[in-house]
């Protein structure tokens, strides 16, 4: 594992994170599906710090992409 480089005098903050898993969808794009999930979570979850896409799916309708669906994990700091 590579060493973490910090500027002289810079302190490293210690954090504890809780992870939740959500599924977002969009009929436009993967990015919008992710944003929809994050925006909805932001209505009730504070201090969100990062996300990870764990699955990507789509629905096909008459040979065209009808919907994108993404499963994401969101990490937020525990107070």
């Amino acid at each position: 594992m590579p060493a973490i480089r910090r500027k002289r005098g810079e302190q490293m903050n210690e954090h504890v994170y809780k992870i939740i898993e959500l599924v977002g969808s969009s009929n436009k794009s993967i990015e919008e599906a992710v944003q929809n999930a994050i925006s909805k979570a932001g209505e009730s979850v504070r201090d969100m710090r990062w996300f990870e896409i764990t699955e990507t799916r789509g629905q096909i309708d008459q040979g065209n992409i009808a919907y994108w669906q993404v499963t994401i994990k969101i990490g937020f700091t525990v107070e």
Side-chain angles (χ1 to χ4, degrees):
M1 178 182 259
I4 297 173
R5 295 178 187 227
R6 292 181 298 217
K7 294 178 184 174
R8 181 170 289 209
E10 182 181 5
Q11 293 183 349
M12 177 182 258
N13 294 327
E14 295 180 3
H15 296 285
V16 174
Y17 296 96
K18 173 114 176 120
I19 298 172
I20 57 174
E21 186 173 68
L22 301 169
V23 178
S25 63
S26 167
N27 62 353
K28 293 183 180 150
S29 69
I30 293 170
E31 290 84 1
E32 185 174 275
V34 171
Q35 186 60 59
N36 289 343
I38 291 171
S39 294
K40 190 64 176 175
E43 294 175 10
S44 59
V45 178
R46 294 180 296 156
D47 298 323
M48 292 185 293
R49 300 292 183 218
W50 54 267
F51 73 92
E52 173 186 1
I53 298 172
T54 58
E55 283 187 309
T56 306
R57 291 179 295 282
Q59 179 185 0
I60 301 170
D61 184 24
Q62 298 181 357
N64 295 308
I65 298 171
Y67 275 92
W68 291 99
Q69 191 177 62
V70 295
T71 303
I72 64 172
K73 292 181 180 181
I74 296 177
F76 60 95
T77 52
V78 176
E79 296 178 358

